[in-house]
Amino acid sequence: MSLLFDPDSFYFGVLPFVARVAGGHGVPPVQVARAALLGLHTTGFPVSPLTPATFLVVGLAGVELGDHQRFAIPFLFGASVVMTLAAVAFGVFPL
């Protein structure tokens, strides 16, 4: 979802709605917030075209945004998987 929303719009506009819907299905809102932080700050915002820092980084590096996304997304997804497994192992995300 971070490819569609900038960070402020997501955290102040979309996440409260998602947390409320998830709460209606028995998922605590804090779990939704933790999952959003874990996923969006690894796979989401670093490659989002709506995050100004991404344009700054690719501009300073002289790299095209599409090339940056194609290169970074597999590594960022892997980092998200490792962090999710660690969160489950440490009890942050109960099974």
Side-chain angles (χ1 to χ4, degrees):
M1 290 181 70
S2 66
L3 294 176
L4 301 174
F5 300 101
D6 64 288
D8 291 340
S9 297
F10 178 78
Y11 285 117
F12 294 113
V14 176
L15 186 59
F17 175 75
V18 172
R20 186 172 302 219
V21 171
H25 293 283
V27 178
V30 70
Q31 297 291 43
V32 176
R34 288 177 183 166
L37 284 172
L38 195 140
L40 290 175
H41 282 293
T42 54
T43 306
F45 295 134
V47 295
S48 173
L50 298 175
T51 305
T54 302
F55 283 111
L56 179 63
V57 168
V58 296
L60 291 173
V63 177
E64 293 293 323
L65 180 61
D67 293 335
H68 165 64
Q69 289 174 328
R70 279 188 290 282
F71 176 80
I73 286 175
F75 293 109
L76 296 172
F77 180 75
S80 291
V81 170
V82 169
M83 290 170 55
T84 301
L85 293 174
V88 169
F90 290 122
V92 176
F93 293 147
L95 293 178

